[in-house]
Amino acid sequence: MNTESKSAESHTIFYDIETKELLDPNAPDQDAAIRALHLSIGVTWCECHDTQIFHTPAPLAEHLLAHERIIGFNIIHFDNAVLAWSKEQSRAPEKPLPDTPDELKQLLDAKSFDLLADLEARLGHRVGLAALAEGTLGKQKLASGPQAVVWNRLAGTLRDRWALALLDVSDQEGAARVNELGAWFQERLERYCLQDVLLVKKLFEYGVANKRVAYIDFEGERRVVRVQWR
Ligand SMILES: [Zn+2]
């Protein structure tokens, strides 16, 4: 039993993504709006590969599908959809992904255990990762999704536009400083995404071990939810 559960754990992968665009909560078709966001980065953690950072969708999808179980927070509704509909930039020919985004999303969903979907079914309402992290682990999230969208845009613009513009006018020192600043925003983005992956992992492990997790509700009260995670 012990070895079985250990090997199951080693085939589990945790992941989270950040997006290029910001979700408009007032868009009439939320699914379509989510499909148009596009991946900026994705971070995974698994026992077999440790932390990995992806900047393009196809290698991330392949890496996820190489594992038996994919665990995340809101991945059925959000991350899997963004990933499946992100523009392909590189595709390894030896391990072809399905031709359509719909098929890819179905493959990802079939292996996914979504902590938010599970909690929503138990509670009858949604609950945020920040509220769970604080209530269960006493931890604060580093940043927010909207901040990650701005950091990604800044990192790209500084690197691709302003560093080149400065080089064009022979300001090497300025270009180097702008590149450094871009790299600083990129690093913040990656650190934030990784922190959320590790929060989801800790939350899941806490739920497995204690058969309950907790969140802070809108009135600031700590609420306990029983779970049967494994
Ligand atoms: Zn792995």
Side-chain angles (χ1 to χ4, degrees):
M1 188 63 207
N2 230 353
T3 48
E4 257 179 33
S5 69
K6 201 165 184 196
S7 88
E9 177 68 19
S10 70
H11 292 110
T12 293
I13 187 163
F14 295 85
Y15 100 109
D16 184 41
I17 62 157
E18 303 305 330
T19 60
K20 287 185 178 166
E21 305 297 330
L22 195 55
L23 180 63
D24 173 7
N26 300 316
D29 184 343
Q30 281 293 296
D31 286 336
I34 288 169
R35 289 168 186 180
L37 295 179
H38 298 293
L39 175 121
S40 61
I41 63 161
V43 175
T44 63
W45 185 94
C46 54
E47 210 173 271
C48 31
H49 298 87
D50 211 295
T51 301
Q52 302 230 27
I53 298 174
F54 295 86
H55 299 96
T56 53
L60 171 58
E62 281 169 12
H63 186 59
L64 290 171
L65 290 172
H67 296 76
E68 272 168 29
R69 187 160 67 144
I70 303 166
I71 298 182
F73 192 85
N74 200 18
I75 53 176
I76 300 275
H77 186 61
F78 191 83
D79 304 60
N80 290 356
V82 172
L83 178 55
W85 269 269
S86 284
K87 278 206 179 69
E88 296 299 341
Q89 289 166 14
S90 65
R91 179 174 277 196
E94 69 274 15
K95 275 189 282 175
L97 291 168
D99 285 335
T100 70
D102 270 308
E103 288 173 289
L104 177 54
K105 183 166 189 308
Q106 277 171 29
L107 282 184
L108 291 165
D109 286 355
K111 291 187 162 193
S112 290
F113 180 60
D114 183 340
L115 300 192
L116 176 59
D118 183 82
L119 289 167
E120 192 178 5
R122 290 171 196 277
L123 289 166
H125 60 82
R126 294 163 80 79
V127 55
L129 181 58
L132 283 157
E134 200 185 336
T136 308
L137 309 165
K139 288 193 190 245
Q140 308 277 341
K141 266 168 71 89
L142 281 180
S144 65
Q147 285 175 342
V149 170
V150 176
W151 293 347
N152 177 65
R153 207 167 287 165
L154 263 173
T157 308
L158 289 169
R159 196 176 49 223
D160 300 337
R161 191 201 282 177
W162 292 111
L164 290 179
L166 287 161
L167 281 179
D168 268 354
V169 294
S170 302
D171 181 0
Q172 270 81 7
E173 191 192 344
R177 294 293 291 268
V178 157
N179 266 326
E180 272 171 33
L181 188 58
W184 182 74
F185 278 111
Q186 181 70 33
E187 198 200 309
R188 275 176 107 190
L189 176 69
E190 292 173 1
R191 208 166 43 207
Y192 164 58
C193 193
L194 172 61
Q195 193 226 21
D196 271 6
V197 173
L198 298 179
L199 274 182
V200 167
K201 176 175 178 278
K202 286 196 186 102
L203 185 68
F204 176 72
E205 287 168 350
Y206 186 98
V208 170
N210 297 285
K211 308 264 179 244
R212 63 193 157 79
V213 293
Y215 64 98
I216 307 297
D217 75 6
F218 287 111
E219 275 135 16
E221 297 291 323
R222 186 171 179 272
R223 306 243 173 228
V224 173
V225 199
R226 299 196 159 277
V227 294
Q228 288 179 302
W229 295 345
R230 40 181 297 201

